[in-house]
């Protein structure tokens, strides 16, 4: 069975600092990996995804993530945090045999201090 | 493309009452998913449709829950005899059918059972 673990339920950074949100997955087949962002009382918005090919993927709003199979990780980074990045971030996985069903991590709340 | 629309946005109901939520997916999306999200947690899969066929239901979906997608267009999620534990955000998402694409989520329906 697939699973996703996000390390750290809360991360706080200063504006302009590096953002690093950690995600580890478990899957017996090649995974598809996603990062979503959720603002208060809203649905989830896709930031980026990895399916096959290049392991470093770039997404919207300056975010990127690197798929590391040896570490079973898919950490999300952004070089310089902006106040508008404050939100809840979810890592999720799927695979070709899951019917498109996503397995989500518990989420990481990102706070950005001025 | 007006996105995924969910109605109502908020629903407060008394325990034991029935409630129904509606989801209108993006018109060309053949897959439609329902997820439930409780406070501080990631979304949990409930069920999904490909066109009008309901292909998978989670064990979370008790007999009190039923979902339909007549004619493969909009979908409804009904909860009968609501319980306080049903209080959550119910999220609908749609996609074009393959697991690697990622979803478009609606803004959700927040259910409060009092």
């Amino acid at each position: 069975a697939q699973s996703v673990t996000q390390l750290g339920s809360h991360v706080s950074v200063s504006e302009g600092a590096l953002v690093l949100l950690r995600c580890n997955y478990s899957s017996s087949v090649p995974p598809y990996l996603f990062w979503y962002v959720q603002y208060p009382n809203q649905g989830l918005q896709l930031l980026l995804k990895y399916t096959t090919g290049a392991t470093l993927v770039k997404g919207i709003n300056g975010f990127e993530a690197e798929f590391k199979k040896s570490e079973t990780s898919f950490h999300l980074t952004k070089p310089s945090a902006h106040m508008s990045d404050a939100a809840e971030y979810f890592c999720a996985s799927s695979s070709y045999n899951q019917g498109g069903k996503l397995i989500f991590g518990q989420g990481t709340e990102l706070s950005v201090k001025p | 493309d007006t996105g995924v629309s969910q109605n109502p946005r908020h629903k407060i109901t008394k325990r034991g009452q029935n409630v129904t939520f509606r989801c209108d997916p993006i018109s060309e999306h053949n897959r439609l998913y329902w997820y439930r999200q409780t406070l501080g947690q990631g979304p949990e899969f409930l069920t999904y449709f490909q066109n009008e066929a309901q292909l998978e239901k989670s064990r979370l979906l008790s007999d009190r829950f039923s979902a339909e997608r007549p004619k493969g267009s909009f979908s409804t999620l009904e909860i009968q005899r609501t319980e306080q534990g049903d209080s959550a955000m119910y999220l609908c998402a749609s996609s074009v059918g393959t697991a690697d694409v990622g979803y478009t989520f609606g803004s959700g329906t927040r259910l409060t059972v009092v």
Side-chain angles (χ1 to χ4, degrees), chain B residues 57-93:
Chain B
K57 295 195 294 185
S58 163
R59 283 172 291 180
L60 292 174
L61 216 64
S62 75
D63 292 344
R64 297 184 297 106
F65 288 72
S66 63
E68 295 182 339
R69 192 184 182 196
K71 303 179 183 178
S73 56
F74 71 92
S75 176
T76 57
L77 178 67
E78 181 182 17
I79 309 174
Q80 295 182 328
R81 305 180 303 282
T82 52
E83 302 173 356
Q84 287 190 322
D86 297 331
S87 296
M89 175 78 88
Y90 290 84
L91 294 165
C92 176

Side-chain angles (χ1 to χ4, degrees), chain B residues 8-85:
Chain B
R9 288 295 309 274
H10 304 275
K11 178 71 177 178
I12 300 174
T13 190
K14 292 183 178 180
R15 189 176 55 182
Q17 297 294 305
N18 299 344
V19 294
T20 300
F21 311 140
R22 177 178 171 125
C23 172
D24 288 89
I26 293 172
S27 58
E28 62 267 28
H29 286 186
N30 62 337
R31 284 193 177 178
L32 186 148
Y33 301 83
W34 285 100
Y35 282 77
R36 181 172 69 187
Q37 185 180 22
T38 53
L39 204 60
Q41 299 296 317
E44 297 172 296
F45 170 78
L46 293 178
T47 187
Y48 89 95
F49 294 83
Q50 180 160 307
N51 300 314
E52 67 275 9
Q54 188 173 19
L55 296 187
E56 186 174 348
K57 295 195 294 185
S58 163
R59 283 172 291 180
L60 292 174
L61 216 64
S62 75
D63 292 344
R64 297 184 297 106
F65 288 72
S66 63
E68 295 182 339
R69 192 184 182 196
K71 303 179 183 178
S73 56
F74 71 92
S75 176
T76 57
L77 178 67
E78 181 182 17
I79 309 174
Q80 295 182 328
R81 305 180 303 282
T82 52
E83 302 173 356
Q84 287 190 322

